[in-house]
Amino acid sequence: MAQSSMSMEAGLPADEQRLGRSGKLKTGPGIVHLGLGAFYRAFGAIYVEDAVRISGGDWGIIGVSLQSPSTRDKLAPQDFVYTAVTQDADGGETFRKVEIVQDVLVAPEDQEAVLTWLSNPAIRIVTLTVTEKGYCHDPATGTLNFDHPDIAHDLENVLPKSAPGYLVRALQRRRDAGQSPFTVLTCDNLPENGKLVRRAVLDLAGRFDPALADWIAAEGRFPSTMVDRITPATKPEDIERLAQKIGYRDEAPVLCEPFRQWVVEDDFVPAYGADARPDLAAAGAEMVVDVTPYENMKLRMLNGTHSSLAYLGYLAGHETIAETVADPVFAGFVKRLWREEIMPSFAPPEGVDLEAYAGALFERYSNPSIRHRTWQIAMDGSQKLPQRLLGTIADNLAAGRSCPGLMLAVAGWMRYVGGVDEKGQPVKVKDPLSKRLRELSDAAETPDQKVAALLTVREIFSAQLATELAAPVAQAYGHLSAVGARKAVGELR
Ligand code: CS2
């Protein structure tokens, strides 16, 4: 399954070894993307550009950064063109110039400019990669968090701060102008991500105008998608090295693995007819009726083991995922997690061989060219744990299956957010709840007390699951603290 949708970028032809628009990609704007980070530039933008190059259509992307000007400041001087660097396991690199991004706005600088683009009738799709925390929802329940500071701001101000706020205010303008809505296409790692962002938008719209919420519910479309391409953060030294290697300087290259897979529910605003979306299937995306089986497979088999390896690997002193799985103790751990605790927990997509999928994942993790830091993946665990680990645990427990490996992973997260590693060195924990998590951990003395304290965070753990986790996670946490991550992982059988 992965092979059929896996695509490789061709190397950049010598006569295109310069950075700037070649003029070969003729397309008008059609998409606004919120959250123009490295992942989307290595993933969604490339699918859209391929679709345009193959089948045409006006699908140029207007990028929007909701927080920082840094991506715009790097891309603007190079006409928003950048290089996607595909890194093979054997050290080979192929370079591809990406031209589909036509402008980048910085929302805090000019909120009106963003709303103007979102209200432009040429825009038929809004894609998002705002990370799990960007939807301002409660991770444990999926509902909009009205206490979130950005949502509280958006309830009182016409010019928004949050992604749901921009979507609602833009849809309100389109409704008032008699325009059709845009399709909202989220590309974040969340279960039923289309339903989640739809819920957030309807909850917020209903606070402004119930009739607006009704119109969005009837006319809007929020297809769910499964997205997959490992895309580590670009480091400053990458820019210097690439400038030497490819013969021109790109301030905003993106580094990624060869593999990519996009599974998209084919449910776009019908008012636009054949012009409702680009020809993503021609670009290798899989257009489906129900993405759920693909989501479960990817969020649990990839993201669940990514997070497990990130916390326990970091504590064991491993810098990257490749280094972690090169350690035979962790290689055995991840293979056991897949076989014993994750694969039994969900029904795979029809025709998919999960053993083969796990084998391909292991090869992807082992790619030494991809320096994907355990620290980067460990970020925002409070927003990631529910869909990556806790759902799998709940399903195992409901089926009467024990899952010691996943319990150890949760204990690893708890040790990690305690802010001190196994050598007594500080851990730079990046998480919206980091301060509260650290305080809870510090205020408790024994492992049992630390676990009990962290299980009270209802944004992450439901009361029922907290009760079920208390004993096994406390046991895992105590052992982890006593013998260290590598030994605790190695003792799992
Ligand atoms: C990673 C994901 O940083 C993380 O949390 O687990 O970004 C992962 O690399 C992608 O989902 C792979 O498709």
Side-chain angles (χ1 to χ4, degrees):
M1 173 269 305
Q3 294 300 325
S4 66
S5 58
M6 187 168 76
S7 305
M8 310 275 275
E9 273 69 47
L12 202 61
D15 68 351
E16 292 195 16
Q17 291 277 2
R18 65 188 183 287
L19 198 52
R21 284 191 188 284
S22 64
K24 292 175 186 169
L25 182 63
K26 304 271 185 253
T27 185
I31 294 173
V32 167
H33 180 78
L34 303 183
L36 194 69
F39 172 74
Y40 187 78
R41 291 196 290 126
F43 181 80
I46 288 178
Y47 273 103
V48 172
E49 177 166 308
D50 284 353
V52 170
R53 289 187 184 279
I54 295 165
S55 306
D58 288 327
W59 296 109
I61 296 172
I62 306 298
V64 175
S65 295
L66 291 175
Q67 312 284 342
S68 145
S70 64
T71 300
R72 186 274 317 273
D73 292 347
K74 289 173 187 168
L75 283 174
Q78 49 194 60
D79 202 9
F80 309 104
V81 175
Y82 60 90
T83 314
V85 184
T86 303
Q87 300 180 306
D88 296 334
D90 62 9
E93 293 182 315
T94 55
F95 309 102
R96 172 196 174 138
K97 202 165 62 163
V98 182
E99 299 186 7
I100 194 73
V101 176
Q102 298 182 329
D103 195 355
V104 178
L105 309 178
V106 181
E109 290 177 2
D110 190 346
Q111 294 155 295
E112 177 56 40
V114 177
L115 285 173
T116 298
W117 263 114
L118 285 167
S119 310
N120 183 322
I123 300 301
R124 287 103 67 214
I125 297 175
V126 175
T127 47
L128 301 94
T129 47
V130 293
T131 78
E132 294 86 347
K133 59 184 178 291
Y135 297 90
C136 309
H137 70 294
D138 179 329
T141 64
T143 56
L144 189 65
N145 175 7
F146 284 101
D147 296 328
H148 189 291
D150 289 353
I151 297 299
H153 168 276
D154 292 356
L155 285 170
E156 301 301 323
N157 297 272
V158 173
L159 294 178
K161 282 186 176 179
S162 73
Y166 274 104
L167 294 174
V168 170
R169 289 300 187 186
L171 287 166
Q172 187 175 35
R173 291 190 183 189
R174 293 173 82 111
R175 189 273 310 256
D176 295 348
Q179 289 170 10
S180 295
F182 40 67
T183 297
V184 177
L185 191 67
T186 167
C187 300
D188 281 300
N189 290 310
L190 289 161
E192 298 188 314
N193 50 13
K195 292 186 177 69
L196 185 143
V197 64
R198 182 177 189 272
R199 179 75 272 139
V201 165
L202 294 180
D203 284 354
L204 186 58
R207 289 293 181 95
F208 299 142
D209 170 6
L212 172 63
D214 292 344
W215 178 78
I216 296 171
E219 304 298 326
R221 291 297 186 273
F222 301 78
S224 289
T225 77
M226 182 274 263
V227 296
D228 189 0
R229 178 167 237 183
I230 293 175
T231 308
T234 303
K235 298 180 295 301
E237 54 267 34
D238 294 316
I239 294 171
E240 299 312 321
R241 177 180 67 81
L242 289 169
Q244 300 305 318
K245 186 166 185 180
I246 53 182
Y248 60 81
R249 188 174 179 78
D250 180 348
E251 295 298 336
V254 288
L255 311 177
C256 54
E257 64 170 337
F259 179 92
R260 57 180 162 127
Q261 182 181 20
W262 201 4
V263 184
V264 183
E265 280 179 352
D266 201 358
D267 181 22
F268 290 72
V269 171
Y272 301 112
D275 205 23
R277 61 170 174 79
D279 187 1
L280 296 173
E286 296 160 71
M287 307 308 291
V288 299
V289 171
D290 179 8
V291 79
T292 308
Y294 295 90
E295 260 178 13
N296 286 335
M297 177 177 71
K298 196 268 180 168
L299 286 172
R300 294 186 175 195
M301 296 275 286
L302 190 154
N303 296 111
T305 54
H306 245 195
S307 291
S308 303
L309 292 167
Y311 298 117
L312 295 166
Y314 180 95
L315 291 170
H318 292 310
E319 167 87 14
T320 67
I321 289 292
E323 287 167 20
T324 306
V325 296
D327 179 337
V329 164
F330 282 91
F333 169 68
V334 73
K335 290 173 183 175
R336 182 197 168 282
L337 264 190
W338 280 318
R339 189 180 56 252
E340 305 290 332
E341 301 186 19
I342 299 176
M343 287 159 63
S345 76
F346 70 96
E350 193 175 334
V352 170
D353 174 350
L354 286 183
E355 288 287 350
Y357 184 77
L361 281 179
F362 191 81
E363 289 309 306
R364 291 170 61 192
Y365 288 0
S366 300
N367 182 342
S369 304
I370 298 288
R371 292 198 54 73
H372 204 176
R373 295 175 63 200
T374 47
W375 178 84
Q376 178 186 346
I377 296 167
M379 219 179 283
D380 296 345
S382 67
Q383 313 295 308
K384 295 177 179 178
L385 248 60
Q387 60 271 14
R388 294 182 179 207
L389 298 177
L390 304 184
T392 313
I393 289 174
D395 290 346
N396 276 307
L397 295 179
R401 290 186 297 265
S402 68
C403 41
L406 293 168
M407 298 296 184
L408 182 59
V410 174
W413 170 76
M414 291 182 169
R415 281 280 284 137
Y416 183 87
V417 298
V420 180
D421 70 15
E422 293 184 351
K423 295 186 173 66
Q425 296 305 307
V427 179
K428 189 172 179 297
V429 178
K430 284 196 74 174
D431 189 296
L433 305 183
S434 59
K435 182 172 179 297
R436 188 164 140 218
L437 297 169
R438 178 67 186 266
E439 288 167 354
L440 284 166
S441 179
D442 285 351
E445 285 182 20
T446 67
D448 288 15
Q449 290 167 348
K450 289 179 184 291
V451 169
L454 289 166
L455 286 174
T456 63
V457 181
R458 287 290 166 266
E459 292 91 327
I460 306 171
F461 304 99
S462 68
Q464 179 189 336
L465 191 60
T467 303
E468 295 177 298
L469 291 183
V473 173
Q475 190 278 330
Y477 187 106
H479 191 54
L480 182 62
S481 304
V483 306
R486 190 170 189 274
K487 190 167 179 2
V489 164
E491 289 171 354
L492 278 172
R493 288 289 175 268

